[in-house]
Every structure is written in structure tokens, then in C-alpha cells.
């Protein structure tokens, strides 16, 4: 049943993409999974799906009762109290271990943030993972853990070790040596640990933000376009900007909070948080914002966070103060818009350079966020 449900979702997404009603990149026709590269997983939606009372075993259809490596007390308590209901179970092989993930419908108690009267603006960056400024004027800096950079030296050493071993070759049918398999597994463990550390840090950050504030203002960043920059791609990918915004949104729904997404072209870094003047240019290497209209001098990330915090009140009241989306910028040249790249058509035989057609404008890549599914609790099945 799990395969049929996935196929139905794939064809539905393909149909919506063809009609132009689905956001994101254009989806092609669904294809069969490759036996060689497909992820080993199986989803059960019917049959005996149970978490045993001893909190050490789970019962799945066709597989029977299996012992888990992790304790299942959190899920078993909710099931016994009647505040959770298992919808499906997915068994997956990843990172050299077998995992079972339960899709659970949970009844949660109403959560009330500690500071319900404040608004916080969250400015994401590479030097600091997040700079938060609330409506009271408090500015908080969250350092970037840089998990991948910390493990980069070890990954390079292990990658050189893998390259010196005899690896697999599908063209000649050569199989990998045992030494290559062992070295590749050791390198993969480092990658998996970096991914786990990043996931844990992002969840802790977003949970702390939602536990303190009701209204959170975040930026609609063009992550796909930022990844095209070869100088910043590794830093941006390690930070996980898209995950931060996604988690802030759905965790805000749990707590009954409000998430305000600033427009992608809103000049939060180039706007003065005191007088509202907008700079025409502010290069990335300039880390201090120096206003030319007033004596404000402060860190550019903190200035952007203050503008984002003030944007929530401006959107609600429409006062045009501190970045109202309906207000006109003070710069008539349109400093809040990035310069779009223009491309010239190639020179055709018998024509002059540039061709007879006008210059064609090309847009940067648009980041599309995947849809969120219901919460699931995963646990390790390996002993």
C-alpha cells in the first residue's frame, strides 16, 4: 500500500506541475526506482503495527516482532495515554543501520510562549547563524557551529584513503576491495555525524525561538541562487537556511504563533533601522552599517534584524514605518531591487553582435520549499 500511495502522490504532483498550479521546479513524469541507486525502504500502512509495552520491541507486518536499539518509552507513553495514534511505519536502511519511523497523529497541549508581547526579527547569515532583535531592543547573536568545516580536514584525509583503494567499476564489472569498503564506511560515518549535529543544532535553535516569541519575522531567502555562488555555497549549505525557516513555520503553528515572511526583495541590510533611509549599494564585505542621513553606526546583521522586527508591526498597521511593504523607498533608483543578469544572444552569420532581438533578461533560480508531512518518531532497529 505504501508504494501505491507514493505513486499516487507522484502522479498528482506531476499533473499539478503540468497545469502550473504547483510551486517549485517543474516535475517530470514519475519513473520506476532504480534497483542500484534507490533507497532501501518499505512503508506499512495496514496490518499489525504496534509498539510493545516492554519499550524494547516493535511489531510490524510480515516482519514480526523486532528488538529496537533505542528505548521507545516516549511513544509508548503517548499510545498508552491515548494521545497518539500510529498511521504508518517506514523501515529504511541508512548509514549502515535499519531504522523504523512511525508517522503519528499526536494530540498536543496548547503551548504559550514565555514572551507573548514581543516580536523578534531573525536575520540569517554565514558568520553568525542567526542574529535576533526583538521589539524591546535586545539583540542576540547565535554563532555558526560550522560542523562541516570542523570535520573538513578529517574528511579530506579519509577521501584520499578511499581514492587509493580499489573501488568498484560498473563499466568493467570490477568489484570493490574489502579495504575500499572499510575506508568508504569510515568516511560515511563522518558525513552522517555532521548531518546529525547540524539537525540537532537547528532543532534546538528553532525550538528556543518559538518557546520565547509569538511573532517571528524571517526572510524569504533565495537559497538556490545563493548555492550558485561557489565562494559561499559550502557555507550556505552547511547553515541550512531553508530548514530554519521551515521549522520556525510549523513549530509556530503548534504554539499558535505568527510567522511573517519578509519579501525577498526587502532591503533589510541596506535600510537604516532609525531613520529608514535606504542605501543604493552595500557590498557583502562591509560588515558595519553607517547611515549617511543619521548618526547610526552598528553591525549590519543587527541592523537587518531590527528592520525585520519592525516589519511585523508595519505589515499589520500599514503605517509605512520601518519597511512597510506598501511604502515607497527613499531611493528613486530602486535600491531594494537586485540587478538582474542580462544575456546577449549569440552572433548569427550575417548579423552584427547582439542580434536583431532585444536583450533577454534571465532570472536567478527560485527556491521551492518541500511540503511538510506529519510528525514522525524514528528509532534504530540495529542491536
Amino acid at each position: 500500500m505504501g508504494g501505491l500511495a507514493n505513486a499516487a502522490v507522484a502522479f498528482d504532483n506531476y499533473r499539478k506541475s503540468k497545469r502550473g498550479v504547483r510551486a517549485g521546479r517543474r516535475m517530470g513524469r514519475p519513473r520506476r526506482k532504480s534497483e542500484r541507486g534507490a533507497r532501501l525502504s518499505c512503508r506499512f500502512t495496514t496490518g499489525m503495527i504496534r509498539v510493545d509495552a516492554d519499550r524494547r520491541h516493535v511489531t510490524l507486518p510480515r516482519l514480526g516482532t523486532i528488538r529496537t536499539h533505542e528505548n521507545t518509552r516516549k511513544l509508548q507513553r503517548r499510545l498508552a495515554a491515548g494521545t497518539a495514534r500510529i498511521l504508518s511505519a517506514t523501515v529504511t536502511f541508512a548509514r549502515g543501520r535499519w531504522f523504523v519511523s512511525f508517522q503519528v497523529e499526536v494530540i498536543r497541549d496548547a503551548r504559550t510562549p514565555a514572551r507573548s508581547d514581543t516580536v523578534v526579527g531573525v536575520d540569517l547569515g554565514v558568520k553568525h547563524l542567526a542574529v535576533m532583535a526583538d521589539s524591546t531592543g535586545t539583540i542576540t547573536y547565535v554563532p555558526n557551529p560550522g560542523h562541516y568545516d570542523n570535520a573538513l580536514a578529517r574528511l579530506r584525509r579519509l577521501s584520499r584513503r578511499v581514492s587509493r583503494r580499489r573501488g568498484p567499476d560498473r563499466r568493467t564489472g570490477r568489484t570493490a576491495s574489502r579495504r575500499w569498503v572499510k575506508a568508504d564506511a569510515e568516511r560515511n560515518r563522518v558525513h552522517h555525524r555532521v548531518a546529525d549535529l547540524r539537525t540537532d543544532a537547528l532543532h534546538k535553535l528553532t525550538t528556543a525561538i518559538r518557546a520565547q516569541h509569538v511573532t517571528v519575522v524571517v526572510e524569504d531567502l533565495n537559497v538556490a541562487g545563493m548555492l550558485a555562488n561557489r565562494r559561499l555555497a559550502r557555507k550556505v549549505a552547511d547553515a541550512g537556511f531553508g530548514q530554519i525557516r521551515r521549522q520556525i513555520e510549523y513549530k509556530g503553528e503548534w504554539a499558535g504563533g505568527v510567522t511573517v515572511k519578509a519579501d525577498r526583495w526587502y532591503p533589510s541590510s541596506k535600510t537604516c533601522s532609525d531613520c529608514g533611509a535606504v542605501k543604493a549599494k552595500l557590498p557583502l564585505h562591509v560588515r558595519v552599517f553607517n547611515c549617511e542621513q543619521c548618526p547610526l553606526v552598528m553591525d549590519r546583521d543587527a541592523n537587518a534584524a531590527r528592520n525585520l522586527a519592525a516589519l511585523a508591526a508595519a505589515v499589520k498597521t500599514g503605517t509605512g514605518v520601518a519597511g512597510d511593504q506598501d511604502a515607497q523607498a527613499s531611493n528613486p533608483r530602486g535600491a531594494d531591487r537586485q540587478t538582474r543578469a542580462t544575456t546577449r544572444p549569440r552572433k548569427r552569420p550575417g548579423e552584427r553582435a547582439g542580434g536583431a532581438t532585444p536583450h533577454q533578461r534571465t532570472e536567478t533560480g527560485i527556491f521551492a520549499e518541500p511540503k511538510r508531512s506529519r510528525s514522525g518518531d524514528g528509532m534504530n532497529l540495529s542491536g
Side-chain angles (χ1 to χ4, degrees):
M1 294 299 294
L4 296 178
N6 294 337
V9 172
F11 279 104
D12 184 63
N13 292 335
Y14 170 68
R15 179 179 58 86
K16 292 180 179 179
S17 180
K18 290 284 289 183
R19 294 169 53 190
V21 297
R22 185 181 187 276
R25 296 184 301 175
R26 183 177 179 180
M27 294 194 63
R29 184 182 297 274
R31 296 175 297 178
R32 293 183 179 273
K33 289 185 177 180
S34 172
E35 183 180 357
R36 180 181 297 107
R39 187 179 185 182
L40 299 179
S41 64
C42 178
R43 184 157 67 100
F44 301 99
T45 57
T46 59
M48 178 62 69
I49 304 176
R50 183 182 64 200
V51 178
D52 295 350
D54 61 354
R55 302 175 180 177
R56 279 296 184 181
H57 294 81
V58 296
T59 302
L60 301 175
R62 302 188 66 87
L63 299 179
T65 302
I66 306 174
R67 189 183 189 280
T68 60
H69 180 72
E70 296 175 314
N71 198 305
T72 62
R73 59 181 179 272
K74 292 184 179 180
L75 179 57
Q76 201 278 332
R77 287 173 183 170
R78 285 189 171 273
L79 294 173
T83 59
R85 183 170 65 93
I86 297 178
L87 302 179
S88 65
T90 303
V91 178
T92 308
F93 180 78
R95 308 172 188 180
R97 299 178 180 180
W98 288 97
F99 293 86
V100 57
S101 177
F102 293 99
Q103 187 179 20
V104 183
E105 189 176 27
V106 181
I107 300 176
R108 297 180 180 272
D109 297 333
R111 301 179 180 180
T112 303
R115 304 170 62 184
S116 59
D117 57 340
T118 59
V119 179
V120 64
V122 181
D123 180 75
L124 305 178
V126 173
K127 182 179 180 181
H128 296 96
L129 182 60
V131 179
M132 297 177 292
D134 56 21
S135 54
T136 62
T138 304
I139 299 177
T140 306
Y141 290 86
V142 179
N144 192 346
H147 300 295
Y148 186 79
D149 287 344
N150 295 336
L152 191 58
R154 186 180 180 188
L155 285 173
R156 287 172 176 169
R157 185 178 71 253
L158 295 177
S159 297
R160 287 194 297 267
R161 183 181 302 175
V162 172
S163 66
R164 296 188 182 109
R165 306 291 190 261
R166 191 189 68 186
D169 191 348
R170 289 188 299 175
R171 294 174 300 178
T172 61
R174 185 182 65 185
T175 59
S177 65
R178 292 184 179 180
R179 299 177 71 208
W180 185 93
V181 172
K182 183 178 179 180
D184 184 61
E186 186 177 0
R187 180 182 59 178
N188 291 339
R189 282 195 294 269
V190 178
H191 279 294
H192 299 328
R193 176 173 172 78
V194 170
D196 292 340
L197 290 174
R198 182 188 301 114
T199 302
D200 180 70
L202 296 183
H203 273 292
K204 289 180 178 178
L205 171 62
T206 54
T207 300
I209 293 175
R210 276 305 181 183
Q212 293 292 328
H213 307 279
V214 174
T215 304
V216 180
V217 186
V218 294
E219 294 178 295
D220 184 18
L221 298 176
N222 183 15
V223 181
M226 297 169 69
L227 291 176
N229 188 338
R230 62 184 181 87
R231 293 181 177 87
L232 296 176
R234 190 180 70 198
K235 300 283 187 179
V236 172
D238 189 27
F241 294 154
Q243 282 291 325
I244 294 177
R245 193 190 70 175
R246 184 185 71 89
Q247 294 178 15
I248 286 178
E249 288 182 357
Y250 78 77
K251 291 180 181 180
E253 295 177 359
W254 292 350
V258 179
T259 303
V260 179
K261 290 188 293 185
D263 184 73
R264 180 169 295 181
W265 302 104
Y266 174 64
S268 59
S269 298
K270 296 186 288 187
T271 304
C272 179
S273 57
D274 280 353
C275 66
V278 181
K279 284 180 174 291
K281 298 292 182 181
L282 186 64
L284 188 61
H285 68 272
V286 179
R287 306 309 306 171
V288 177
F289 182 87
N290 190 353
C291 183
E292 300 173 355
Q293 306 294 333
C294 68
L296 176 67
V297 177
M298 66 182 308
D299 180 65
R300 64 175 291 163
D301 296 333
N303 176 69
R306 291 178 59 182
N307 288 326
L308 292 175
L311 181 62
V315 169
K316 292 180 180 179
T317 60
T319 58
V321 179
D324 189 356
Q325 293 179 346
D326 296 330
Q328 297 293 333
S330 59
N331 189 350
R333 296 171 53 195
D336 58 338
R337 301 292 185 188
Q338 293 183 0
T339 303
R340 295 178 178 176
T342 57
T343 59
R344 286 178 175 265
R346 296 182 178 179
K347 181 179 179 180
R348 297 180 181 179
E351 294 181 358
R352 58 187 178 87
T357 58
H359 297 170
Q360 300 176 351
R361 293 183 178 180
T362 59
E363 299 286 351
T364 56
I366 300 177
F367 169 69
E369 190 176 48
K371 295 183 178 180
R372 178 179 59 86
S373 60
R374 297 182 181 178
S375 61
D377 294 328
M379 54 196 67
N380 185 6
L381 289 178
S382 61

